[in-house]
Amino acid sequence: MKANELKFSDIDRLIVDNVEQGEFWVHRDLYRDPAVFELEMKYIFERNWVFVGLDSQAPNPNDYFTTWIGRQPIIVARDKQGKLGAFINSCSHKGARIAHHRDGNAKQWVCSYHGWAFDTAGACIYIKDQDAGCYAEPFNKLDHNLKKVKFGQYRGFLFASLSDDVPSLDEHLGDAKKMLDLVWDQGPEGIEAIPGVSSYTYNANWKMQVENCIDAYHLTSCHPSFMNIVSRRKAGESRNKQVKSIDFNVMDVVKGGTACFPRGHAVIYATNPLENERGMFVHRDEAVARCGETKTKWMLATRNLTIYPNVQFAENASLQMRVIRPLSVDKTEMTIYCIGAKGESDAAREIRIRQYEDFFNTSGLATPDDTIAYEDCQFGFRAKALDWLQGTARGMTGYHTGPDELSQEIGIQPDSGFMGAMGAWDETVYFGGYRAWKQFIKDGLEADGLL
Ligand code: FES
Ligand SMILES: [Fe+2]
């Protein structure tokens, strides 16, 4: 079916949300129907706040970086006054890409096709031959500047929206902001992307990544090689003494929880018995003096956070930022960064980077396991004889609405959650994302008069 032929009733039937009766089911078409993908891009990515980067990616005047909102190419730039903004990366003249690089510093961008120039505030500052008088008045009256997009910032986290018809960024993030605080406050001046970004693609739907980050169920079965290596290191069988990565065998009994926030954001978290092996632990005393014992405990905790729809902060072995870019219904691009506190010591940073390389990086022990698992799922989705997944049932007996003891300690008021030992963690943490998914598409269709 084509996207413009899908009705909301077709979308509505793809998710059965009947939690009172212990049922929440997701249809496989969510991951394999190109028409569904079209609606997702239009209403979830291109009419919503989308994460575009960290302020540290453009720290100085005239710094910029390029990214995407859904399928649309974007430049995020700091102008010569130091103000951040976002623009469509397309020349007003004949549409050419203006900024070619992943990042850089430029007082102006000169379009490589016909030489029009734009400053880092997006203003068109030169049109070749305009002085020769060959343009008529209607052209001269046009706005030639780069197309600005709505831009928002929470602390150093940068967001943009192609639509002006979105709630405030504050409302969009809601209490998930407090989980972002646990990331940002790891240093007195916040966090930054450590140089060394990696990108890769996998041949599966973008939501496989959204779910994997908050999927504690897969850890022990999908990453046995990593777990075995950690065990062998502990047993003294490795000469590599410097990497102390997270041990899921220890974590399995740790108490923690999951939480869903409005608009699709979700988190899984657990206290960390191995917090002294974290890079941030080097500066624990400073963190306690600045943020207090409780907040520091939760900053040192393991915590995987999704800010829907496209950014994740995975914090267990180290701290990884993952930016998700859907390319098609069955292909996704990931861009990943190791994150560290600004100004932290070499000792802290070395621990972060070594742990990051060990577990998270494209060459790490975890990422290939996960991406192969996504591709195996997408392979299985070819089986049209099968309709419904059974991947949203674990933990239904412990599902609750509102906050619980742990979320209250952290200071968040989620819509729903689960609390217990990590080994019993749930799949109900996906409910918030699916509910938001349906709501975004419904709101979009309604706004377009297609409901
Ligand atoms: S396309 Fe940019 S100047 Fe012609
Ligand atoms: Fe994984």
Side-chain angles (χ1 to χ4, degrees), residues 90-98 110-118 126 128:
S90 174
C91 182
S92 319
H93 180 229
K94 287 193 77 150
R97 176 196 333 217
I98 289 296
V110 179
C111 181
S112 53
Y113 200 0
H114 308 92
W116 289 23
F118 303 86
Y126 178 67
K128 189 169 67 172

